[in-house]
Amino acid sequence: MMSSKDIIAVVTINWNGWANTLECLASLRASRQPAWHLFVVDNASTDDSLSHLAGLGDDVTLIAAPTNGGWTGGNNLGVSKALADGYDWIFILNNDASVEPDTLERLLAEAKAQAARGVWPVLGPVHRGGALQEYDFIGSGTDPKTGIPGWIDTSKQGSPAERLTSTSYVSGAGMFVHRRHFEAVGLFDDRFYLNFDDTDWCRRAAGLGFPLLMLADATIRHIGSASIGGRESPLQTYFMTRNRLLFAEKHCTWRERLRLARRYVWQARDLTGKDSAFAWLPLLFGARDDATAAFRTGLMDYAARRFGDCPDIVRRWQSAASKLKASAAIPAR
């Protein structure tokens, strides 16, 4: 029997998205090699996901989380289980992503080649998305003014420049790591819950000397933000607002943090339609618009040191926004 040390533990989180998870599993089963085992962490779904994901086979372990721990909590559960079961290689993969037949093979081969030279990188596959499968995520850089990492703009640089490139962080939608990374860095910071959790972990790993690299010939196909309603949804706005500040607190200089605060003033202006001198007034006096209200709540919760999951009101705004988006997509008769 093959040792678990020779098998890749793939960890994915399911939250009310069992159909995506089954598609992710199908893509893994189409892989040529190497051997893998999938750990599915169900984050207390309410859509009967557990019944759909039960009994999928010997290559799947289903973990039923008692509460929705977000990206951080779910992955911490799955990674901890994989490590306890003796796996060394771990591939964190979003359930709305799928691998190509050679993705795992290429990631493992590169990781082993680097390890043979005494280097232990955190590796990321490039992401393709959309109907045309154009490049979506090919790596990230760091804003020289604020110290905040951000995606490389693929509308300006359409494809990876080289096969192996440095990145300021590896996206948690597809992150290939080794046991020694978690033993040195620790698990993900539960305070983030969603967004900037992978960025924070990568910054900590880099600080301990682990390179962060994107491997251009390893690819995943990624829907992106499937569980949070898109990149401009109330949930996304809330977590990005609050957690960007938490990341800056942990890793940025005071000058960078001041510049980030100034960026938030301009963001408030854009959201409220007021010039910068009055941009904060609708926020302070309870703007009702979903995006503006989520932005305000993210700022307030950071100031109040409320981390982890978002308040229930944010999820109600999310539900209302999703219904509005769905109704707008229905053609008029």
Side-chain angles (χ1 to χ4, degrees):
M1 178 181 293
M2 183 178 293
S3 167
S4 58
K5 292 183 177 296
D6 301 316
I7 304 173
I8 297 172
V10 182
V11 176
T12 196
I13 300 171
N14 179 83
W15 183 71
N16 294 338
W18 57 267
N20 283 335
T21 301
L22 292 179
E23 289 183 14
C24 178
L25 173 59
S27 76
L28 289 167
R29 285 176 171 166
S31 295
R32 292 197 290 265
Q33 58 177 325
W36 53 270
H37 186 90
L38 178 63
F39 290 84
V40 178
V41 180
D42 182 74
N43 257 350
S45 294
T46 57
D47 67 343
D48 203 27
S49 278
L50 285 176
S51 64
H52 288 281
L53 300 177
L56 293 177
D58 294 337
D59 53 358
V60 180
T61 295
L62 178 61
I63 303 170
T67 59
N68 182 359
W71 192 92
T72 52
N75 274 304
N76 284 342
L77 276 177
V79 168
S80 296
K81 173 61 174 172
L83 294 176
D85 286 355
Y87 292 88
D88 282 346
W89 299 104
I90 297 176
F91 185 38
I92 295 172
L93 181 66
N94 272 18
N95 76 321
D96 64 344
S98 57
V99 298
E100 301 293 346
D102 60 357
T103 301
L104 297 183
E105 178 184 9
R106 291 178 181 273
L107 287 168
L108 182 60
E110 183 62 35
K112 285 186 172 181
Q114 295 278 345
R117 297 192 290 270
V119 180
W120 293 90
V122 178
L123 288 177
V126 296
H127 303 189
R128 289 180 180 269
L132 300 177
Q133 290 295 295
E134 67 275 7
Y135 285 104
D136 186 18
F137 181 78
I138 60 174
S140 62
T142 300
D143 188 320
K145 293 184 177 180
T146 65
I148 301 295
W151 289 22
I152 293 172
D153 187 350
T154 53
S155 67
K156 297 178 180 178
Q157 180 183 333
S159 61
E162 299 177 5
R163 175 179 172 273
L164 204 61
T165 56
S166 295
T167 180
S168 62
Y169 76 98
V170 173
S171 169
M175 181 185 290
F176 194 80
V177 293
H178 189 268
R179 167 186 294 273
R180 66 177 56 213
H181 293 123
F182 287 107
E183 291 176 345
V185 181
L187 295 172
F188 300 101
D189 187 339
D190 271 323
R191 290 180 296 173
F192 287 95
Y193 194 84
L194 286 172
N195 298 125
F196 277 94
D197 30 28
D198 49 359
T199 316
D200 166 74
W201 188 90
C202 285
R203 180 65 65 89
R204 289 189 279 139
L208 293 175
F210 296 113
L212 309 175
L213 301 174
M214 297 297 298
L215 183 61
D217 56 8
T219 304
I220 62 172
R221 286 171 280 121
H222 184 215
I223 297 173
S225 303
S227 64
I228 56 177
R231 294 175 182 171
E232 297 180 359
S233 69
L235 269 179
Q236 182 85 323
T237 299
Y238 171 84
F239 283 112
M240 290 295 285
T241 300
R242 187 195 70 182
N243 291 352
R244 187 183 288 111
L245 290 167
L246 178 57
F247 177 89
E249 175 186 315
K250 293 183 68 174
H251 302 292
C252 297
T253 67
W254 67 269
R255 288 182 183 274
E256 291 170 335
R257 292 165 67 182
L258 284 175
R259 291 173 185 142
L260 178 62
R262 185 168 62 182
R263 296 273 179 91
Y264 273 177
V265 171
W266 286 98
Q267 185 175 350
R269 184 201 66 172
D270 292 340
L271 286 169
T272 61
K274 305 290 184 181
D275 63 36
S276 59
F278 301 99
W280 293 97
L281 292 179
L283 297 174
L284 294 174
F285 293 104
R288 291 181 174 273
D289 172 76
D290 290 344
T292 308
F295 177 71
R296 180 189 70 241
T297 306
L299 291 174
M300 292 174 60
D301 281 3
Y302 171 76
R305 318 305 292 165
R306 288 191 290 264
F307 299 115
D309 198 1
C310 63
D312 289 341
I313 186 64
V314 178
R315 295 196 183 277
R316 291 200 291 272
W317 292 331
Q318 177 72 20
S319 178
S322 297
K323 291 177 181 177
L324 182 63
K325 184 178 180 180
S327 64
I330 299 173
R333 293 185 178 180

